[in-house]
Amino acid sequence: GAVVSQHPSRVICKSGTSVKIECRSLDFQATTMFWYRQFPKQSLMLMATSNEGSKATYEQGVEKDKFLINHASLTLSTLTVTSAHPEDSSFYICSARGRRGNTDTQYFGPGTRLTVL
Amino acid sequence: GNSVTQMEGPVTLSEEAFLTINCTYTATGYPSLFWYVQYPGEGLQLLLKATKADDKGSNKGFEATYRKETTSFHLEKGSVQVSDSAVYFCALRGWEGKSTFGDGTTLTVKP
């Protein structure tokens, strides 16, 4: 079964609104969360890395004020797309890393498809 | 930095044909290597992985061997099916957990 979930799976919003995407690790504590973005027919690009309780580290070219990442607990990270615009329409995928039993493990979430009208 | 180069697509094969999708990488240290599959409108599914040199990952008839000497991780399947039609991503993961993906190869299998 899934060990990392994302909510919502799909969201459509109007331009200028903010959208929050949740990423949860279901049966392990995720000390690190990664957020990726995938544009249509393109590959995944890392946006940012967040460690629980710390500020996220953003990749070059990613606006930290536009893509707010919160990793307040060991099972939940959120990505908020602020003042979304049509060019932010994309597939957002999280990846959670932590220990599951005695094993260092990492899983991808199923993704959230954001469409900004 | 790390990078992954995949064979350009799209690839179109007839059912039961042999599949090879080439993947080479550049990385510092000793990354783990992965193949993911993505069906239309869906998220990534891990297909197989290898964590050290000479390891062979296999799943659902697909195989790939971690070749450190050639920095390659080519995906192969002896007999493809229509249901294998999807986009395939080669990826590496460094020690810090960040994944770097290739551009993806679209496979279409015709009956």
Side-chain angles (χ1 to χ4, degrees):
Chain A
V3 296
V4 176
S5 69
Q6 282 185 240
H7 178 79
S9 57
R10 294 177 179 270
V11 56
I12 301 172
C13 69
K14 293 182 179 180
S15 186
T17 60
S18 294
V19 175
K20 181 184 285 189
I21 301 169
E22 293 185 348
C23 176
R24 293 182 184 273
S25 57
L26 300 179
D27 63 354
F28 68 100
Q29 294 186 326
T31 50
T32 307
M33 293 277 200
F34 304 90
W35 285 95
Y36 294 82
R37 178 170 54 187
Q38 184 183 27
F39 290 109
K41 299 188 186 300
Q42 295 188 27
S43 190
L44 282 77
M45 299 299 294
L46 180 65
M47 299 174 67
T49 303
S50 72
N51 293 301
E52 186 264 339
S54 302
K55 288 185 178 180
T57 303
Y58 290 81
E59 297 298 304
Q60 193 172 8
V62 178
E63 299 176 59
K64 62 180 181 181
D65 294 331
K66 181 167 186 61
F67 298 100
L68 302 179
I69 292 173
N70 183 282
H71 190 175
S73 81
L74 286 171
T75 59
L76 173 65
S77 176
T78 59
L79 167 67
T80 301
V81 183
T82 62
S83 187
H85 291 284
E87 57 266 29
D88 298 323
S89 298
S90 189
F91 197 46
Y92 292 88
I93 303 171
C94 70
S95 177
R97 183 188 193 191
R99 292 193 72 80
R100 195 170 181 221
N102 293 323
T103 307
D104 186 35
T105 192
Q106 190 165 346
Y107 293 92
F108 282 92
T112 296
R113 188 166 301 282
L114 169 64
T115 303
V116 185
L117 302 176
Chain B
N2 296 340
S3 67
V4 175
T5 302
Q6 263 182 258
M7 180 173 107
E8 286 189 23
V11 174
T12 302
L13 296 173
S14 297
E15 207 165 20
E16 299 184 3
F18 184 86
L19 169 71
T20 299
I21 302 178
N22 289 339
C23 172
T24 58
Y25 67 91
T26 303
T28 53
Y30 304 97
S32 296
L33 302 175
F34 302 81
W35 276 100
Y36 292 92
V37 58
Q38 187 176 38
Y39 297 98
E42 297 185 13
L44 291 180
Q45 295 181 29
L46 176 63
L47 182 58
L48 53 85
K49 68 178 183 181
T51 58
K52 61 183 188 299
D54 299 326
D55 270 3
K56 177 187 282 188
S58 61
N59 185 27
K60 299 180 182 178
F62 291 90
E63 292 183 342
T65 301
Y66 190 140
R67 300 286 188 201
K68 187 171 179 293
E69 64 276 13
T70 54
T71 61
S72 64
F73 193 54
H74 305 321
L75 182 68
E76 296 182 337
K77 186 174 185 181
S79 176
V80 293
Q81 305 300 313
V82 173
S83 57
D84 294 326
S85 298
V87 181
Y88 292 81
F89 290 95
C90 183
L92 67 82
R93 181 185 299 163
W95 64 269
E96 76 280 69
K98 294 182 182 179
S99 294
T100 302
F101 289 83
D103 289 339
T105 301
T106 300
L107 170 66
T108 302
V109 180
K110 296 188 173 181

